[in-house]
Amino acid sequence: MAAKRGKKMSGIASFNRFYETWMDHLHHLVQQLRKAPKPPGTDDDSSQLGHLVQKLMFHHAEFFRVKSAAAERDVLSVFTASWASSLERSLHWIAGWRPTTLFHLVYTEASILFEFHIADILRGQRTGDLGDLSPTQFRQLQCETVKEENAITEELSEWQDGASEIMAGSSADVREKMGRLASVLKKADDLRMRTLRRLAELLTPQQAAEFFIAAAELQFGVRDWGKKQDQHALENA
């Protein structure tokens, strides 16, 4: 039993190290996106933006792949998310960000850019950035995402209703219960990745680049602020 517990702790520690490396690489990829020409002046510029967006997409897919492997070893540790700050965990939906948050982010960025370019837009000029988005462009995808979110939330709620039975169950019962929880987590992560991919497909390379930069900046900001708050609380404990 002690050996099994040690293996689980080693596994989650390994994922924590992976996450730090993953975040460092995310910083690097976002820096590349910031430096890329926007709006793209040539086909080569547009191709470069598209390539960088794909690299960001693969980077997120790799995160979910490694996270899924960690959940298979110890799903409860993945839910407690020791790699995240207290602030990040308080915002989690099923051990990660809520998929519908992406739409709020897009609409916020679009609104900011629309106001910034409103004089050009009123003259009939296209900006090519997120300010050019139509309010109805993502409506169907957003509705589908909300529906799937609600279904997964309901499945987790059903799991939680029977969680009190775990201690009274056999080892096989516990394994089955943990397997169901891992399945719920996988569905949530699949929805996160699928929403990210489908949203990017509806955007031009420039818009997708702006979206990924905004999403990363939000992630970096919440993480940095959360770590500072945790450090402050630790120093004053």
Side-chain angles (χ1 to χ4, degrees):
M1 180 65 73
K4 186 174 182 180
R5 187 181 303 114
K7 184 176 180 181
K8 285 185 175 182
M9 291 178 65
S10 174
I12 202 63
S14 176
F15 182 79
N16 288 357
R17 291 191 295 272
F18 161 78
Y19 186 70
E20 290 298 329
T21 302
W22 185 87
M23 284 292 290
D24 287 342
H25 191 43
L26 181 61
H27 275 278
H28 175 68
L29 291 174
V30 171
Q31 279 298 104
Q32 289 183 305
L33 268 185
R34 288 194 180 105
K35 293 176 181 177
K38 290 183 289 297
T42 65
D43 289 343
D44 285 344
D45 290 342
S46 183
S47 178
Q48 180 188 2
L49 273 179
H51 177 66
L52 289 174
V53 167
Q54 284 302 311
K55 287 176 70 173
L56 262 295
M57 200 76 71
F58 290 141
H59 190 56
H60 283 282
E62 175 67 3
F63 170 75
F64 290 121
R65 184 190 69 78
V66 177
K67 182 182 175 186
S68 179
E72 288 179 7
R73 293 190 296 268
D74 187 359
V75 65
L76 292 181
S77 291
V78 173
F79 263 84
T80 57
S82 59
W83 60 87
S85 66
S86 299
L87 175 61
E88 289 172 287
R89 289 193 292 272
S90 73
L91 300 173
H92 276 179
W93 171 80
I94 311 184
W97 43 268
R98 185 180 285 274
T100 46
T101 302
L102 299 181
F103 299 100
H104 298 304
L105 179 63
V106 167
Y107 295 145
T108 298
E109 290 297 309
S111 177
I112 292 171
L113 289 170
F114 178 84
E115 291 180 9
F116 183 76
H117 295 300
I118 191 166
D120 294 331
I121 293 170
L122 289 175
R123 287 196 294 268
Q125 298 178 10
R126 305 286 293 180
T127 62
D129 57 22
L130 287 172
D132 267 347
L133 294 182
S134 163
T136 61
Q137 193 166 341
F138 306 106
R139 185 166 295 167
Q140 181 177 350
L141 177 57
Q142 185 175 9
C143 290
E144 292 172 1
T145 304
V146 169
K147 185 177 179 179
E148 289 192 64
E149 257 189 22
N150 290 340
I152 297 170
T153 299
E154 180 63 26
E155 190 171 349
L156 178 62
S157 178
E158 291 175 1
W159 185 92
Q160 291 171 327
D161 288 342
S164 60
E165 303 168 3
I166 292 178
M167 297 304 295
S170 64
S171 296
D173 292 334
V174 172
R175 285 195 299 272
E176 188 272 337
K177 197 76 172 176
M178 291 301 103
R180 283 183 56 201
L181 183 60
S183 175
V184 172
L185 175 59
K186 188 177 188 311
K187 289 179 182 180
D189 281 346
D190 286 347
L191 179 58
R192 280 184 264 264
M193 189 64 219
R194 189 160 17 96
T195 305
L196 192 66
R197 183 178 292 112
R198 291 181 65 189
L199 188 60
E201 288 172 352
L202 293 172
L203 301 171
T204 66
Q206 178 185 348
Q207 291 170 338
E210 292 169 345
F211 164 70
F212 272 108
I213 290 172
E217 287 177 344
L218 177 61
Q219 188 172 3
F220 297 152
V222 171
R223 180 165 179 77
D224 290 345
W225 189 23
K227 289 172 71 173
K228 288 177 182 177
Q229 291 295 106
D230 285 351
Q231 183 61 36
H232 180 73
L234 186 63
E235 292 171 353
N236 291 275

